[in-house]
């Protein structure tokens, strides 16, 4: 049965990713986005020949962003199958906890939904002997606006309307602003139940960056990891928000697309000003990420995303997760494995895994720079 297969695959993946007690961090939520669109772990397109093990050996510990959990676990599965004697453990917790672990020197790399802040870079210099922490964009993807409104299967919204919903200004699903964007759709007078993250979250930061950029008049709050708008209800982790949306009639919330796909939650199409509203898909997110500019300096490849793009088919509510490493001063015992693993993640095969599982590959021009930096790590 499909359920049995799903459980067997999930158990196998988790069994391969047991983290030592020294690394276990207090998670902000019980995120589980390890499944594909049908709720099961998806097969990989990578072959052993795509992975260069080089001098990788021993155990590599990493932690951080839960948004990239599905991608990281697939990469680990493929990588460990190709490189015998190597163990890679990724603790999915939160971006903040990952960066803390990195700056404490307990992990070889960290995953983060947002680029390092100046104070975090400064702190990293204590661990990165002779160097500092840098951001390598590795995983892209759409942040979906999932909704559960009885009788409504398709929903279009624009940035200003989304802002007013989450800012507690629009309270009913048959509000005129929503009706105008959805001609021909029968909208109920059901009260809107807007859910946001209770924990500090890179996903929240990207959502609020989008609202601040695309609807500044409707969203007066600063972009931040901590939710600032009034009203609404809070839930822990993307998994918690998705669970609430799944079970509450009238609900809307935000989470990575894989959570919506795994639970069969309907998602909003965004009216960006393009010819047609844009669906939340990996392909459409890639079109938006392609407009990003590198804002970091030197080996740091932090990106500035264009949340206001009106390009046809470009879904602007996107998230990019970074792998945080030292440019110089990585631990000698784990450096070969860090480089080998990240080289696979940034390879054509590694990036193809993303598109097959609801994420968005990093655009080729940016990814070429990522590969160059990985090769230069010391």
């Amino acid at each position: 049965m499909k359920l049995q297969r799903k459980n067997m695959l999930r158990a196998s993946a988790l069994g391969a990713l047991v983290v030592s007690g020294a690394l276990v961090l207090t998670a902000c939520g019980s995120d589980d986005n390890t499944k594909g669109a049908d709720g099961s772990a998806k097969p990989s397109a990578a072959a052993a020949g795509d992975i260069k093990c080089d001098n990788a050996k021993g155990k590599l510990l990493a932690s951080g962003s839960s948004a990239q959990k599905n991608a990281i676990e697939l990469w680990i599965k493929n990588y460990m199958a190709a490189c015998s004697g190597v163990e890679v453990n990724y603790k999915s917790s939160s971006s903040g906890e990952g960066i803390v672990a990195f700056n404490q020197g307990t992990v070889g790399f960290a995953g983060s939904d947002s680029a390092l802040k100046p104070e975090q870079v400064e702190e990293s210099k204590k661990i990165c002997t002779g160097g500092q922490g840098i951001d390598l964009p590795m995983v892209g993807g759409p942040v979906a606006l999932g909704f559960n409104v009885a009788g409504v299967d398709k929903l279009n919204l624009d940035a200003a309307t989304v802002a007013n919903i989450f800012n507690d200004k629009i309270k009913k699903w048959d509000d005129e602003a929503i009706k105008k964007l959805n001609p021909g759709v029968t909208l109920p007078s059901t009260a809107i139940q807007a859910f946001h993250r209770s924990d500090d979250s890179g996903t929240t930061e990207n959502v609020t960056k989008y609202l601040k950029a695309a609807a500044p008049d409707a969203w007066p709050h600063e972009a931040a990891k901590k939710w600032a708008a009034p009203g609404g209800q809070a839930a822990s982790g993307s998994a918690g928000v998705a669970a609430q949306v799944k079970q509450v009639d009238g609900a809307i919330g935000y989470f990575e697309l894989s959570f919506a796909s795994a639970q069969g939650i309907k998602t909003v199409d965004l009216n960006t000003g393009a010819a047609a509203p844009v669906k939340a898909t990996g392909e459409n997110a890639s079109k938006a990420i392609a407009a990003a500019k590198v804002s970091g300096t030197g080996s740091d490849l932090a990106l500035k995303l264009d949340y206001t793009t009106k390009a046809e088919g470009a879904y602007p509510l996107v998230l990019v997760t970074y792998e945080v490493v030292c440019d110089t001063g990585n631990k000698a015992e784990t450096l070969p494995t860090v480089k080998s693993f990240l080289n696979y993640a940034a390879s054509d095969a590694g990036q193809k895994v993303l598109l097959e599982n609801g994420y968005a590959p990093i655009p080729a021009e940016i990814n070429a720079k990522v590969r160059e930096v990985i090769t230069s790590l010391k």
Side-chain angles (χ1 to χ4, degrees):
M1 293 175 62
K2 183 181 291 186
L3 181 58
Q4 292 173 323
R5 177 175 177 268
K6 177 182 74 173
N7 289 337
M8 289 173 64
L9 287 167
R10 184 180 179 201
S12 174
L14 291 176
L17 293 166
V18 175
V19 182
S20 64
L23 184 65
V24 174
L25 304 175
T26 303
C28 292
S30 56
D31 289 354
D32 181 6
N33 56 350
T34 62
K35 308 174 188 65
D38 64 355
S40 62
K42 288 201 168 185
S44 164
D50 298 321
I51 300 173
K52 294 179 173 62
C53 303
D54 295 326
N55 298 314
K57 59 183 179 180
K59 180 182 292 188
L60 172 63
L61 303 179
S63 69
S65 165
S66 62
Q68 65 174 9
K69 179 183 178 183
N70 189 23
I72 286 281
E73 290 191 351
L74 285 166
W75 284 337
I76 289 174
K77 177 183 177 182
N78 297 340
Y79 182 78
M80 288 177 57
C83 300
S84 60
V86 180
E87 183 181 350
V88 182
N89 293 326
Y90 182 80
K91 171 62 179 178
S92 171
S93 51
S94 68
S95 300
E97 292 187 22
I99 291 172
V100 167
F102 178 77
N103 281 338
Q104 289 176 343
T106 60
V107 294
F109 71 88
S112 178
D113 302 346
S114 55
L116 292 166
K117 302 292 189 291
E119 60 271 21
Q120 294 170 331
V121 173
E122 193 61 33
E123 188 177 355
S124 73
K125 294 178 181 179
K126 300 174 185 177
I127 297 300
C128 304
T129 307
Q132 65 180 47
I134 57 172
D135 304 286
L136 300 179
M138 203 70 72
V139 181
V143 178
L145 294 168
F147 70 95
N148 178 4
V149 183
V152 179
D153 294 323
K154 182 173 170 43
L155 185 67
N156 300 327
L157 296 176
D158 59 15
T161 306
V162 173
N164 283 325
I165 286 172
F166 282 101
N167 212 21
D168 206 30
K169 295 290 181 64
I170 294 178
K171 300 178 183 292
K172 301 281 188 179
W173 280 110
D174 61 351
D175 187 275
E176 287 302 319
I178 301 177
K179 282 184 176 180
K180 185 177 180 180
L181 292 165
N182 295 273
V185 177
T186 301
L187 294 163
S189 60
T190 307
I192 293 174
Q193 306 287 337
F195 288 90
H196 57 265
R197 291 278 290 267
S198 60
D199 49 326
D200 288 4
S201 161
T203 308
T204 295
E205 184 173 22
N206 281 275
V207 169
T208 53
K209 281 181 178 179
Y210 162 72
L211 294 175
K212 187 69 175 177
D217 293 338
W219 191 258
H221 317 287
E222 292 303 315
K225 291 184 177 182
K226 186 176 183 63
W227 187 259
Q233 301 176 61
S236 179
S238 289
V241 175
Q244 291 298 317
V245 172
K246 177 74 173 178
Q247 67 187 20
V248 176
D249 184 29
I252 185 171
Y254 58 87
F255 32 79
E256 294 72 35
L257 180 61
S258 56
F259 288 94
S261 300
Q263 298 192 46
I265 297 172
K266 295 183 286 289
T267 61
V268 169
D269 294 352
L270 286 177
N271 186 328
T272 64
V278 185
K279 294 184 179 299
T281 68
E283 293 91 339
N284 291 345
S286 279
K287 292 176 184 177
I289 295 171
K293 305 295 182 185
V294 174
S295 60
T297 58
S299 297
D300 188 277
L301 299 178
L303 300 178
K304 181 175 178 59
L305 297 167
D306 181 6
Y307 296 103
T308 62
T309 180
K310 294 179 174 58
E312 296 300 326
Y315 183 84
L317 181 45
V318 294
L319 176 149
V320 170
T321 64
Y322 300 92
E323 311 317 327
V324 177
V325 294
C326 297
D327 55 0
T328 298
N330 291 280
K331 292 181 179 179
E333 61 270 26
T334 57
L335 178 58
T337 308
V338 168
K339 294 176 71 171
S340 173
F341 178 74
L342 293 183
N343 265 321
Y344 163 58
S347 70
D348 290 339
Q351 291 292 295
K352 185 178 180 182
V353 166
L354 298 181
L355 196 55
E356 292 172 347
N357 289 275
Y359 290 96
I362 300 301
E365 183 179 349
I366 297 171
N367 195 43
K369 296 178 182 178
V370 172
R371 295 181 194 180
E372 290 177 8
V373 172
I374 293 170
T375 301
S376 72
L377 297 178
K378 299 176 183 178

